[in-house]
Amino acid sequence: MSNNKKPVVVYGASGYTGRLVCEYLREYGIPFIAAGRSAEKLHAAMKSNVPGIETADYEVVEVQHNTEALTELFRGASVVLNTVGPFAKFGPEVVQACLAANIFAKLGVRNRTSALTRAQENSLL
């Protein structure tokens, strides 16, 4: 997935928050990758919970939750939205993958922590 043409990766797209994000991306015509550990769950979630998904420019990608696999998935993306939680448990690999894929640099972020949404889980930072 190193040269993906979709600017946004929604990691954890089969969960409640991920599905909402995918719905808004579809509504605004923003291409995206719906990513998670199970392609089957992702396809089912998109089909049954994202109205109008058939009109979206998206793809489903199954990925293992480790830094190497996530780095490969994130490489080439402009934005990575992590909705996999709890963040204190599953966040470190995502942050390391973003660093390795230069996601923060693409956002022009000088202070890397400002690019993270804490979701009231301060222990991740």
Side-chain angles (χ1 to χ4, degrees), residues 9-13 35-39 42 61-74 80-98 124:
V9 174
V10 182
Y11 181 51
R37 292 178 292 163
S38 169
L42 289 161
V61 174
E62 182 174 302
V63 64
Q64 295 298 311
H65 185 81
N66 62 60
T67 303
E68 296 78 23
L70 293 171
T71 299
E72 184 63 24
L73 174 65
F74 298 165
V80 171
L81 179 70
N82 177 35
T83 63
V84 175
F87 299 114
K89 181 176 180 180
F90 296 109
E93 294 88 349
V94 175
V95 172
Q96 289 301 316
C98 285
L124 174 61

Side-chain angles (χ1 to χ4, degrees), residues 44-58:
M46 293 299 107
K47 185 177 180 181
S48 63
N49 296 301
V50 181
I53 194 63
E54 63 279 354
T55 66
D57 180 5
Y58 81 106

Side-chain angles (χ1 to χ4, degrees), residues 1-124:
M1 186 90 322
S2 61
N3 291 325
N4 78 59
K5 295 185 172 136
K6 310 264 188 278
V8 179
V9 174
V10 182
Y11 181 51
S14 64
Y16 178 76
T17 303
R19 294 188 317 252
L20 289 176
V21 170
C22 292
E23 184 176 345
Y24 279 103
L25 292 170
R26 184 216 54 86
E27 185 176 326
Y28 287 100
I30 299 170
F32 65 94
I33 293 173
R37 292 178 292 163
S38 169
E40 184 179 329
K41 283 185 179 181
L42 289 161
H43 283 293
M46 293 299 107
K47 185 177 180 181
S48 63
N49 296 301
V50 181
I53 194 63
E54 63 279 354
T55 66
D57 180 5
Y58 81 106
E59 63 183 282
V60 167
V61 174
E62 182 174 302
V63 64
Q64 295 298 311
H65 185 81
N66 62 60
T67 303
E68 296 78 23
L70 293 171
T71 299
E72 184 63 24
L73 174 65
F74 298 165
R75 195 167 282 129
S78 297
V79 175
V80 171
L81 179 70
N82 177 35
T83 63
V84 175
F87 299 114
K89 181 176 180 180
F90 296 109
E93 294 88 349
V94 175
V95 172
Q96 289 301 316
C98 285
L99 289 169
N102 290 317
I103 298 300
F104 295 114
K106 287 182 182 180
L107 295 174
V109 175
R110 292 189 182 121
N111 176 359
R112 292 183 175 134
T113 58
S114 66
L116 299 175
T117 299
R118 292 189 249 159
Q120 297 185 14
E121 289 193 46
N122 294 329
S123 62
L124 174 61

